[in-house]
Amino acid sequence: MSEFLLWVIPAAPLLAAVVVTLGVPLGLRSLSPWPVILALALSTGAAYTLRATAAHETIHATAWKWIDAGGVDVSLTLRADTLTLTMLSFITLVSLLIAIYSIGYMAGSPGFARFFAALSLFVASMTLLVEANDFVVLFLAWELVGLCSYLLIGYYQDRPSAGAAAKKAFIVNRIGDFGFLVGIFWLWSLLGRVVPGVQLGLDFDTVFAHAGEIAKRYPDQLTGACLCLFLGAVGKSAQFPLHTWLPDAMEGPSPVSALIHAATMVTAGVYFVARLTPILVHTPEVQLVVAVVGAFTALLAALIALTQNDLKRVLAYSTVSQLGYMFLALGCAGANPHLASLAVAAAVFHVFTHAFFKALLFLSAGSVMHAMGDVIDMRRFGGLRRALPFTHIFFLSGAIALSGLPIFSGFWSKDAILDVVAQATKAGAYRTLFGVLQFAALATAFLTAFYTFRAYFMTFWGQERFPPEAGRRPHESPMVMAAPMAILTPLALFIGLVFGPGIAVPATPATPAVTVLKPNLLAHYLQMNTPGVEHAEHHVNYGVLLASIALSVLGVLLAWQFYYRRPETPRQLAESAEPLYQASANRFYIDEIYRATITTPLEQLASVLPRFDRHWLDKIVDSFALTPRLLGRGIRGVQDGFLQSYAFWMLAGLALLLVLVIGGVS
Amino acid sequence: MIVNFFDELSRWVIRSGELWIGVIAATTALLLLFYKGSRPLLAGAGVLAIIGVFGAWFNRHPYVEPLLAQLLFGLFAVMAIAAAVLMLVQRHPVYSALYFVVVVLASAGMYVLGAAPFLAAAAVIVYAGAIVVTFLFVVMLAQQTGLAVYDQRFWSPLPAAIAAGVFAGTILSVVNDVYARPSSAEAVLRRLEQLEDDLTPPNKNVAEAVEPKLLGRSLPDLLAADFRDIGGAEGEDIRRSFGDALHSWTTAWSGRAVSENTPVPPTIAAPQPPVVEPPPPGPGAVKNQSSLLLATKKLLFVARRVIAARGVHPTVANPPPAEALQIASHRSRLSTPNIDDRSMVRVLGRSLWGDYLVGVELAGTLLLVAAVGAVAINSRRKEAPQ
Amino acid sequence: MTGVALQFLVVGAVLFALGAVGFLVRRNLIIMFLCVELMLQGATLNLVGFSRYHGNLQGQSFVIFLLTTAACESAIALALVVAVYTRWRTLDAARASNLNERTEPGAKFPLDPSPAEPRHLDYPPAPTLAPAGSEPPVGEVVRNLRPSGRAGDAARTPGEFTNV
């Protein structure tokens, strides 16, 4: 039964995509959402059923043997352990809600069926990704989600900027995928060297079982392979230096941004690195790199988000920043291998909560866009809380959750991350480094609160004004759009509390043992059979707790001050620190640097090469074709139709023959 | 392999060097004629040059026939070649046809010298009489007013002359190779074989027979000139057997009898040492057929040994096996002239109707078909449209 | 016996070579064929020489057959030449160059065919009878029978019956 459910989860959306595609020529375009909704509902139900019933054992379900060549043996196998089921639980639910939302958002746009088909295909690929049992199937799904992201970012086919953004997303992802592939091959060869003569698949269990041996024999090579694999995660999860595609991906419709670029696809990298924990514990250098990259990205993105005027761009940079947080958490295991369980638990917890509140934020931004006639520049509208009351509530909930205000979800998950970072600063050899990273993490927490509420105040407070595209009166979203947001709101606000930290009473002389009032549900759940997570900790770091509360409240207050009480302050600050402002507003010129150093030389090379191809290579090939023609012309000249010339050649040949025969004979 | 080939080739050219000079001279003279037109003086000079060179080449070979026959043959040959050359360079087709008649007449003369009188007559009748006349008729029918343009110009004489020169030179050098070693032993052998054939049938009256001589020299003399430089044991053998054969020969032709005890080896392949026995002097001076035959056989044996010892100049790397030489001696009795055949015409007729009857019938059929065909091709029909 | 066949072979080879040169060099069809006959002469000389060498008449018999064949072949060839001339009005071998493959512009052919002879009326038209019931035209027919004249020489007045 569980295997069947495991297959249903990716198969149902895949089938729905096929059905929708086939329905287009049959004229069933308007009915496209319904197969998708049905399929996603099925997947959600299956995921939760699995979560409820089968949690102790890892479930494996094999379909067929995919590659069976020589020493390579890959079969299409699905796997469900607690990490997978955790990921599946929010992927399927958020996808379902966003699909329902899209019925309203995408109504009336051309390519309605195309959207739902691509969406459904995306969900199928994403679930396959988290259910993959080996590297190769995971990479297959990795590429598929990249493809669907490309299809959906470039959804608005009449906008060249959308097409460019789709290409950029795909190409930047490709750079990461190159690293991913190299890592796979490298790891495979290492495994082959350690376990010679056996037909190998690259499934996780085999690799994890032999990881220790590989690390003992080829530590440097294992480090290299893991770095390459991490490069793949960097590309997919938009970390520095491959983060440039995510803000541009906001060209796609808001549901796409919500689903793919907030909740699910970008978290694939985090999932992957979490999955690799049993290998990464043997390569602390890689984990350090992970942590540094994560922290740096988090701070960088937060700094950029300070000055963005496009609401969705703010949210996009916020996503990048939060993803950096997750990688920072995962990398803390490099300080001390015993921190691995805590690190993974913290990161997965943050992924879990982040999915809900970020999706909610994006959906509300979409609602704003819908009302404002596709205008999303915050400078062109203001004071929308009266015109869009519900959207206001939804956005506020998401903002509160993101900022990490106490009690609400973001607080708990961010706190878990800061906790593990703090632990990393205490133990191990890299205390100073992690001290720096901790400072970066705290600064990012402050900035997160600040820019989130900046966006909130700029959009919903202040003088009420509407852009001309909004029409006569901006109206609230219809029920089909509001309902998913309404469902998401309590989830976003309180899911951290429910699944989050344990509450334990410390030991007193009366009660010698620690009394656990509420266990850390998620950590316990993960600990059950996720490889790499051995134990669940009940850890509460009060210092970190207080610090994060203080920082978030400070951030909110500062935003209130700057954008509500004294709106002229930001401009003054910007003018006084003009270069800093310009740098932040122009995204630290990273795109321009890439263009100058990489894109332009490649374009010039591409413009030179056709000339080379035409003038040299084609001429060489043409000369080959010319040879028979010249030869023929020469030989054809003998045939002049003149009898006596033929007779002459006969006589000459005869004379030559005689000379040869007689001369040779004598 | 290519180097080897050129090595052989150069050696071959050097061997027949003087021949090639003649060929090149002839080709050049021919070319001059083509380019300068038909100038009698130049033509005559060229022809004389050719004759001179070929004559020099010919001189290396011994005269084996009566001088008159040789002179006549040379005359006819010169006539034929000169007429052929002149035929080629004429502007008017009628003149060419007439020079062709001269060629035919010259070859008729050569046929006569080659013991083919009927062929001479047939050639004159058929070629000069029928074919050339037909040519002349057609020339009249297909005549253009005045000299035709296409008769004035030649088409690239140089390559044609070179090709034909190489061709002729090759054949001539083969001939040269075969006959390059002046050896009278072969001539003697031939004559002796003829004599042997003549003497073999019984009851021949040889009272009037004259000792055969070649160019005024007796056959043993000619043979002796050939084996003078053969040394060694074989030379001794040959001299001994020659002495015996000479004695028999002179005895037989002077009318004395020759002993029959000496064995006569029959073939070339297995020469056996002869038993030397001085012939006893015989009574009388009447020539005896059997003694003549015996003397002939002895001398034949010696001649064969001489030829085998000297070796024919190798024109082939592997000389053909001895059996091949027998093929040449296979003669159909019908095609061979016998000693009492008075006329070659009779022999020719016997050969044609005896050995080659089928061929004759087929030739007749061919003639009939050709006649019908010639008429059919040009049967009078409606005037062709312009 | 050395030179007996030798001289025949030599002369035969020379005649053959000369015939070959003549065939290649001359442009008149009839002369070309004459040169072929010359080549045959060389061949027959060779045969007679070998016949003399071997002492039998096989060579001479072969020469008889060659003679026969040469006669047949010349008859047919000359008939063909006449037929060809009737059509082409020229005996130039360069006239028959239709199978040439030189298609490049400016490719030169070895020879330019000489101009054909203008057509004369070689044969006078056969006399025909007047239709039944009409008077046969007497004078014009006689006039038209002039062998070297052209058809247009006969004077025609309107109304006169001509059967040219």
Side-chain angles (χ1 to χ4, degrees):
Chain A
M1 184 58 188
S2 351
E3 278 119 355
F4 174 71
L5 288 175
L6 204 55
W7 279 108
V8 163
I9 298 175
L14 182 64
L15 195 62
V18 171
V19 166
V20 168
T21 315
L22 291 177
V24 167
L26 294 173
L28 299 173
R29 199 167 297 193
S30 53
L31 292 180
S32 326
W34 302 114
V36 176
I37 304 288
L38 183 63
L40 288 177
L42 274 175
S43 296
T44 315
Y48 282 103
T49 315
L50 275 176
R51 225 196 125 121
T53 58
H56 298 274
E57 286 294 318
T58 310
I59 311 164
H60 291 265
T62 310
W64 69 85
K65 209 178 269 257
W66 181 19
I67 304 174
D68 182 8
V72 172
D73 175 13
V74 176
S75 42
L76 194 64
T77 311
L78 299 182
R79 162 206 194 93
D81 56 10
T82 46
L83 178 60
T84 307
L85 289 172
T86 310
M87 301 285 298
L88 276 176
S89 55
F90 72 80
I91 291 173
T92 48
L93 182 59
V94 171
S95 307
L96 179 62
L97 293 172
I98 293 178
I100 299 174
Y101 176 91
S102 310
I103 303 177
Y105 191 84
M106 305 300 297
S109 57
F112 190 58
R114 177 160 52 93
F115 179 85
F116 280 97
L119 189 77
S120 189
L121 185 62
F122 170 81
V123 177
S125 327
M126 188 69 203
T127 48
L128 184 63
L129 197 153
V130 300
E131 282 183 4
N133 190 38
D134 61 276
F135 284 86
V136 181
V137 177
L138 193 143
F139 185 70
L140 169 72
W142 193 272
E143 293 295 322
L144 269 175
V145 297
L147 168 73
C148 297
S149 162
Y150 167 84
L151 288 174
L152 287 166
I153 295 174
Y155 173 74
Y156 292 118
Q157 286 174 336
D158 51 343
R159 278 192 232 162
S161 54
K167 274 189 287 189
K168 184 173 180 178
F170 201 82
I171 291 171
V172 175
N173 260 320
R174 250 291 167 249
I175 301 173
D177 294 344
F178 169 70
F180 199 130
L181 270 176
V182 170
I184 290 183
F185 297 146
W186 204 340
L187 199 60
W188 219 330
S189 78
L190 287 173
L191 190 63
R193 266 181 259 178
V194 162
V195 186
V198 171
Q199 214 184 24
L200 280 181
L202 205 63
D203 56 307
F204 293 127
D205 295 326
T206 319
V207 178
F208 296 159
H210 295 280
E213 205 172 325
I214 299 177
K216 214 171 8 184
R217 302 217 331 220
Y218 309 98
D220 296 326
Q221 292 203 31
L222 188 62
T223 310
C226 292
L227 273 176
C228 290
L229 291 171
F230 177 59
L231 185 64
V234 163
K236 186 67 74 181
S237 295
Q239 298 298 291
F240 180 83
L242 299 175
H243 65 281
T244 49
W245 65 272
L246 191 51
D248 287 357
M250 298 301 121
E251 294 281 343
S254 300
V256 170
S257 309
L259 181 59
I260 297 183
H261 307 123
T264 43
M265 185 175 103
V266 294
T267 57
V270 180
Y271 160 78
F272 182 55
V273 177
R275 178 61 83 198
L276 286 182
T277 312
I279 309 177
L280 292 179
V281 294
H282 299 287
T283 57
E285 299 90 3
V286 179
Q287 285 178 319
L288 284 180
V289 170
V290 170
V292 169
V293 166
F296 182 74
T297 310
L299 192 55
L300 180 77
L303 286 173
I304 299 177
L306 286 180
T307 53
Q308 297 300 312
N309 294 312
D310 187 334
L311 179 58
K312 284 177 74 175
R313 292 268 145 93
V314 173
L315 295 175
Y317 281 108
S318 157
T319 309
V320 176
S321 182
Q322 298 304 307
L323 289 168
Y325 251 97
M326 299 173 209
F327 280 109
L328 171 61
L330 284 171
C332 287
N336 184 353
H338 295 290
L339 281 178
S341 319
L342 192 61
V344 171
V348 175
F349 188 28
H350 197 58
V351 167
F352 193 67
T353 55
H354 172 265
F356 289 109
F357 57 68
K358 201 41 84 55
L360 178 60
L361 279 171
F362 267 108
L363 291 182
S364 350
S367 175
V368 167
M369 260 183 86
H370 187 82
M372 291 294 113
D374 285 341
V375 173
I376 200 63
D377 192 336
M378 292 189 284
R379 296 170 291 190
R380 296 183 60 192
F381 49 69
L384 297 182
R385 67 185 186 285
R386 283 199 198 90
L388 309 172
F390 290 109
T391 309
H392 174 221
I393 304 286
F394 298 144
F395 192 91
L396 185 58
S397 321
I400 291 174
L402 174 57
S403 310
L405 292 173
I407 312 297
F408 301 108
S409 309
F411 169 69
W412 299 113
S413 56
K414 206 173 299 187
D415 179 63
I417 294 180
L418 290 171
D419 180 32
V420 80
V421 176
Q423 296 239 330
T425 58
K426 290 202 193 92
Y430 302 100
R431 271 179 283 191
T432 347
L433 178 65
F434 277 102
V436 171
L437 296 182
Q438 185 180 43
F439 173 73
L442 291 170
T444 312
F446 164 70
L447 289 173
T448 305
F450 177 73
Y451 65 66
T452 311
F453 273 90
R454 164 181 176 263
Y456 168 70
F457 283 118
M458 277 177 81
T459 307
F460 292 101
W461 289 83
Q463 191 188 14
E464 189 179 69
R465 56 178 200 279
F466 308 120
E469 293 91 335
R472 275 174 298 120
R473 268 215 64 80
H475 54 278
E476 185 57 83
S477 311
M479 180 53 96
V480 73
M481 285 167 68
M485 289 197 276
I487 298 174
L488 272 177
T489 307
L491 285 174
L493 286 173
F494 299 113
I495 203 139
L497 187 60
V498 170
F499 280 93
I503 303 175
V505 174
T508 59
T511 51
V514 173
T515 315
V516 175
L517 291 179
K518 173 184 110 46
N520 188 332
L521 279 178
L522 188 65
H524 273 284
Y525 186 64
L526 284 177
Q527 176 244 332
M528 272 191 222
N529 56 17
T530 303
V533 182
E534 274 105 36
H535 46 271
E537 303 226 341
H538 311 275
H539 206 272
V540 176
N541 189 329
Y542 287 105
V544 167
L545 209 70
L546 285 173
S548 71
I549 294 176
L551 284 171
S552 359
V553 170
L554 187 62
V556 175
L557 285 175
L558 213 57
W560 181 58
Q561 173 76 0
F562 278 16
Y563 290 95
Y564 180 62
R565 290 270 303 269
R566 301 218 190 173
E568 64 278 5
T569 329
R571 199 171 47 247
Q572 287 168 353
L573 272 179
E575 278 159 14
S576 61
E578 180 76 17
L580 287 174
Y581 175 78
Q582 284 298 330
S584 168
N586 290 320
R587 307 172 308 265
F588 290 103
Y589 304 109
I590 293 182
D591 277 315
E592 283 77 9
I593 293 172
Y594 283 166
R595 167 156 281 277
T597 54
I598 298 173
T599 317
T600 314
L602 279 177
E603 275 174 4
Q604 282 174 345
L605 185 66
S607 69
V608 165
L609 284 178
R611 255 183 290 143
F612 171 71
D613 180 48
R614 253 199 310 276
H615 289 154
W616 288 93
L617 294 180
D618 279 357
K619 285 243 170 10
I620 292 176
V621 171
D622 283 347
S623 70
F624 278 117
L626 209 59
T627 311
R629 192 183 298 176
L630 290 176
L631 206 64
R633 196 185 296 176
I635 295 178
R636 203 170 42 225
V638 177
Q639 300 278 340
D640 48 12
F642 191 50
L643 169 72
Q644 282 162 315
S645 111
Y646 296 154
F648 165 69
W649 287 114
M650 281 168 62
L651 182 67
L654 182 63
L656 182 67
L657 206 62
L658 272 179
V659 168
L660 285 176
V661 166
I662 293 169
V665 151
S666 64
Chain B
M1 200 177 89
I2 295 187
V3 171
N4 214 10
F5 164 71
F6 278 115
D7 205 24
E8 290 283 344
L9 189 63
S10 53
R11 241 183 278 147
W12 171 65
V13 166
I14 289 169
R15 234 188 352 252
S16 26
E18 55 204 21
L19 170 66
W20 281 103
I21 294 173
V23 170
I24 291 170
T27 315
T28 318
L30 191 64
L31 270 179
L32 283 175
L33 283 176
F34 282 134
Y35 285 118
K36 302 282 185 189
S38 164
R39 296 197 187 161
L41 208 59
L42 207 56
V47 168
L48 277 177
I50 295 167
I51 292 168
V53 172
F54 275 114
W57 175 56
F58 251 138
N59 217 18
R60 297 175 55 203
H61 302 279
Y63 297 125
V64 295
E65 284 188 291
L67 187 60
L68 188 59
Q70 284 282 59
L71 276 178
L72 276 176
F73 190 92
L75 187 67
F76 284 129
V78 164
M79 193 164 99
I81 295 175
V85 167
L86 284 169
M87 180 185 113
L88 295 187
V89 298
Q90 290 304 318
R91 299 255 177 88
H92 204 292
V94 174
Y95 291 154
S96 289
L98 293 176
Y99 276 115
F100 182 67
V101 172
V102 174
V103 171
V104 170
L105 288 175
S107 13
M110 286 191 271
Y111 293 159
V112 167
L113 286 170
F118 180 76
L119 279 183
V124 170
I125 294 169
V126 171
Y127 265 108
I131 293 179
V132 173
V133 168
T134 318
F135 267 105
L136 288 173
F137 270 123
V138 172
V139 164
M140 283 194 295
L141 281 177
Q143 199 177 21
Q144 299 208 320
T145 49
L147 277 178
V149 174
Y150 46 80
D151 279 329
Q152 314 291 318
R153 289 157 32 191
F154 301 111
W155 178 78
S156 39
L158 181 62
I162 291 176
V166 168
F167 180 83
T170 314
I171 294 186
L172 289 179
S173 63
V174 169
V175 169
N176 185 32
D177 273 350
V178 170
Y179 295 105
R181 298 176 65 97
S183 160
S184 44
E186 286 146 12
V188 169
L189 179 74
R190 208 70 201 151
R191 193 67 188 89
L192 283 173
E193 278 175 346
Q194 281 180 354
L195 192 62
E196 182 189 18
D197 269 344
D198 278 345
L199 289 173
T200 308
N203 299 329
K204 276 218 156 37
N205 183 14
V206 296
E208 314 298 320
V210 181
E211 180 187 349
K213 291 209 167 118
L214 287 178
L215 297 175
R217 297 168 68 178
S218 74
L219 295 180
D221 275 346
L222 281 174
L223 197 55
D226 255 348
F227 66 78
R228 216 167 285 140
D229 49 348
I230 298 179
E234 201 175 358
E236 288 302 313
D237 263 346
I238 290 177
R239 279 190 192 83
R240 239 179 298 131
S241 41
F242 177 72
D244 172 54
L246 175 64
H247 189 78
S248 308
W249 181 267
T250 48
T251 313
W253 281 102
S254 64
R256 295 188 296 256
V258 174
S259 157
E260 304 253 350
N261 292 342
T262 49
V264 180
T267 61
I268 306 175
Q272 299 161 16
V275 174
V276 179
E277 218 184 74
V286 180
K287 286 180 267 247
N288 192 355
Q289 182 183 359
S290 55
S291 52
L292 280 181
L293 189 57
L294 184 60
T296 310
K297 284 191 169 144
K298 282 187 188 171
L299 209 54
L300 254 181
F301 165 67
V302 174
R304 285 192 180 120
R305 278 205 71 180
V306 167
I307 286 174
R310 284 194 60 146
V312 178
H313 186 78
T315 53
V316 290
N318 302 313
E323 301 84 59
L325 294 170
Q326 304 286 341
I327 296 173
S329 54
H330 161 74
R331 297 155 198 181
S332 165
R333 301 304 302 171
L334 289 172
S335 295
T336 314
N338 298 320
I339 202 162
D340 52 2
D341 272 322
R342 299 273 172 72
S343 108
M344 295 302 281
V345 183
R346 178 184 296 186
V347 184
L348 184 61
R350 198 171 64 217
S351 167
L352 279 177
W353 264 263
D355 276 335
Y356 304 113
L357 180 59
V358 175
V360 166
E361 302 298 330
L362 283 177
T365 315
L366 182 64
L367 274 168
L368 177 66
V369 168
V372 171
V375 171
I377 286 173
N378 265 326
S379 63
R380 180 87 180 274
R381 40 173 188 269
K382 285 268 192 246
E383 177 103 346
Q386 301 236 356
Chain C
M1 180 26 217
T2 307
V4 168
L6 170 70
Q7 53 217 24
F8 281 97
L9 299 184
V10 166
V11 179
V14 170
L15 282 182
F16 186 91
L18 284 173
V21 168
F23 180 81
L24 294 182
V25 161
R26 299 297 300 253
R27 281 171 68 177
N28 192 334
L29 280 178
I30 300 178
I31 305 299
M32 279 164 68
F33 190 63
L34 211 56
C35 296
V36 171
E37 294 293 327
L38 188 60
M39 285 201 269
L40 275 175
Q41 282 290 302
T44 49
L45 269 173
N46 260 28
L47 281 165
V48 169
F50 277 118
S51 161
R52 178 113 195 272
Y53 174 77
H54 288 297
N56 58 16
L57 292 192
Q58 288 175 339
Q60 291 186 20
S61 308
F62 198 359
V63 169
I64 291 286
F65 292 126
L66 260 185
L67 222 53
T68 313
T69 311
C72 305
E73 154 204 356
S74 72
I76 305 256
L78 292 171
L80 283 173
V81 163
V82 169
V84 151
Y85 182 78
T86 313
R87 191 165 185 82
W88 287 355
R89 311 309 295 181
T90 182
L91 282 176
D92 195 351
R95 174 74 168 73
S97 312
N98 280 345
L99 284 182
N100 69 75
E101 297 270 359
R102 295 182 175 179
T103 52
E104 296 84 31
K108 287 181 55 64
F109 298 99
L111 289 168
D112 300 318
S114 358
E117 276 285 296
R119 242 170 219 285
H120 299 290
L121 200 55
D122 287 326
Y123 309 102
T128 55
L129 289 177
S134 333
E135 289 278 330
V138 174
E140 289 81 359
V141 173
V142 169
R143 237 180 298 159
N144 286 333
L145 272 177
R146 251 190 328 207
S148 59
R150 300 216 186 104
D153 287 354
R156 283 193 218 125
T157 58
E160 276 187 85
F161 186 86
T162 57
N163 56 357
V164 175

